Each structure stands twice: as structure tokens, then as C-alpha cells.
Amino acid sequence: MKSTCEPITHLAFADESHWNTGRYRALALVTLEAQRQPGLEQAIQGILLQHGFTGELKWSKIDRDQDRDAVLDLLRTALHLIAQDQLRVDVLIWDIEDSRHKVRRRDDLNNLQRLLYRICMVVLTQRWPPETCWAIYPDQQDGIDWQALHRMLRLGIARWYGQRPRKLLEPGTPPRIAELRPVSSADTPISMLADLFAGLATFAYEQWSAFRDWQQEQRGQIRLPLATESDPASQTSKRTLLRFAILDAVLAACSKHGLDASLDTSRGLRTKDPACRLNFWLYTPQGAYDKAPQKQKKAS
């Protein structure tokens, strides 16, 4: 899955969260100039070693204070780089209860492939300048036709540029894709950031109401009823509390850096201006024609 396009100037790393479970699913794409890769990987590995990690740290594995602290350092480092225009993170979130996804025999794997195409198309054509040469490294996922995805992206970019009025295009050649190769996130430090941002996004939508209550209680604005405290079944788990603390800290860091990400109006993380280098994008169906792919009926 390589094309002639040298040198590679930009890199994209993708990972997903809950692509086939739960109501809310997410796909994150981390993009940067290729020259910044060594420094970012060194920073990620340094944080992991500082907190005693020698392997991969995933959102789904946050169980201890040590995990929370390491994730916070990783995300704060990423947000600092985003604020300095050295990194971009786009997170596409979809709701399987919307009109696009609430279809019979929905093919979640095919849908993931189509949404990966969509986020790559938008980011490569609209969020970075032309005359770029890309290597794209999605997390390995059995069942996705990576060669077809590579071909679709190349054709899609050419078609998008061909249909745009010349006065709306920046001068220069369209972005090109030199390589699209699935990788193991365990061996790819920057993919870890994509996993964490995708996990954060799905968690924010799933736990929005509970998080807002927790946030207000932390600030002394409300006090939960004593009856709730005496019922073990109603107690918030430590795993959830650790994630609340991460989400709260991320929102504070976004505010500090002037990044346009909020919870208040969307019941989850969302960015008003998609050009912002931290872009939480809640997918909305484009019309009645916009439907998730369906599994084919088996022949009788």
C-alpha cells in the first residue's frame, strides 16, 4: 500500500474506541509534520517510563491512580503541543441511535472503514495545506480492506480537488498518500494518543449527566442525597471516578490553552469551529440517503 511520493512530509495515526459496542463510538486521527515524530515519541516514552510503564497504556485499562496520572501527563503534553500548532487531533464520534446508524443488520466493521475514510478525507484536504505527502498508520483491525481504503482516499482527494472552484483552492498540488499501513498500537507510541482521545470522547457522551453532577459536587455546588451514599449499587466506581478526573483536567487544560472544546451544549465533547486543532466532531446524518452499510443477507 505504497505510492511514489517522497519525501513523506506528514503523518497520521488513527485508533478507535468501542467501534462495535455501546451507543457512542469514536475514531481519533492524530496528525503532525513528519519532522516532529521523533520528539513526540520521545516525550510519550519518557512519560510512560516516569510512571513505571514499559508497554501500552490504553483508555480501557485505566484502573489505578498511577494509570490516571500517566494519562493526564500524556494528554496535557498533547494539548500543549496542539496549542503550539505542532499537533492536530480530530475525533469523529457517532451515535448508533441516530437515523444513519439505526438500521437493521448494520455492518459495524464496514461502517468503521467508511468513517475512517471520511475523517481522513476531511483532515487531509481541509485541515492541512496542499503539497503534502502523507503516511497513514491506522491501528490494525482484521476485516478492513486496507488496499481498497488507500485507493478510495487517493481517488476521493483527486475528485474533491477536481470539483472545487479554482478560486477556493490554495495554490499547489493536492495532498498525496505515500503509504497507508495498519500498525500495532502497542508498538506505535503516537497511536496511544489516538486511543486516549477516542476513549475520552466516548466516555464524555456516555457519562455526561453523571460527570456534570460529579463536577458540581467537587466544586461544592450540590450535595448528593445521603440515601444514595448508603446504597452500594448506586456508588460510582473507582474506574469511573478516575475518568471523571481526567475529563475534568482536560476541559481545564482546553480552557487554559484557548482550545474550543466544551460539554455544555452538546452533552458530550464537541468543538464549535472544526478548524481548531483539537476537533471533537459529533457526526450528524447528512440526509435521508445517509445510511450506515448493512450486512448482506445470507443466501438460503
Side-chain angles (χ1 to χ4, degrees), residues 9 30-31 51 70 76-77 89 103 114 121 123 157 174 204 220 227 245 247 262 266 296:
T9 62
V30 177
T31 49
H51 290 279
R76 283 172 174 151
T77 297
V89 176
V103 296
R114 293 190 186 190
M121 275 291 300
V123 172
I157 290 171
L247 177 55
S262 65
S266 62
Q296 298 297 317

Side-chain angles (χ1 to χ4, degrees), residues 101-116:
H101 294 92
K102 204 168 185 179
V103 296
R104 297 179 62 187
R105 303 186 310 279
R106 184 183 61 249
D107 188 338
D108 285 326
L109 187 59
N110 193 349
N111 190 51
L112 176 64
Q113 181 171 329
R114 293 190 186 190
L115 292 174
L116 180 56

Side-chain angles (χ1 to χ4, degrees), residues 196-296:
L196 294 176
F197 276 104
L200 180 73
T202 56
F203 177 79
Y205 276 92
E206 291 166 353
Q207 298 287 337
W208 180 87
S209 179
F211 171 72
R212 297 298 289 178
D213 288 346
W214 173 88
Q215 198 177 46
Q216 290 177 351
E217 185 184 14
Q218 293 296 111
R219 288 152 176 71
Q221 296 174 10
I222 65 171
R223 184 73 177 99
L224 296 180
L226 292 176
T228 301
E229 298 173 353
S230 63
D231 180 5
S234 68
Q235 293 295 298
T236 304
S237 69
K238 180 176 181 179
R239 284 169 55 90
T240 300
L241 291 173
L242 292 172
R243 288 161 173 77
F244 281 169
I246 293 170
L247 177 55
D248 192 48
V250 166
L251 288 170
C254 286
S255 177
K256 172 185 174 182
H257 292 300
L259 299 173
D260 174 26
S262 65
L263 280 172
D264 294 337
T265 58
S266 62
R267 300 183 66 85
L269 287 166
R270 194 169 187 178
T271 305
K272 295 177 183 177
D273 181 4
C276 179
R277 282 183 170 265
L278 176 62
N279 178 31
F280 291 99
W281 167 18
L282 178 64
Y283 186 86
T284 55
Q286 303 301 293
Y289 65 89
D290 189 6
K291 298 293 183 182
Q294 297 171 275
K295 296 178 181 178
Q296 298 297 317

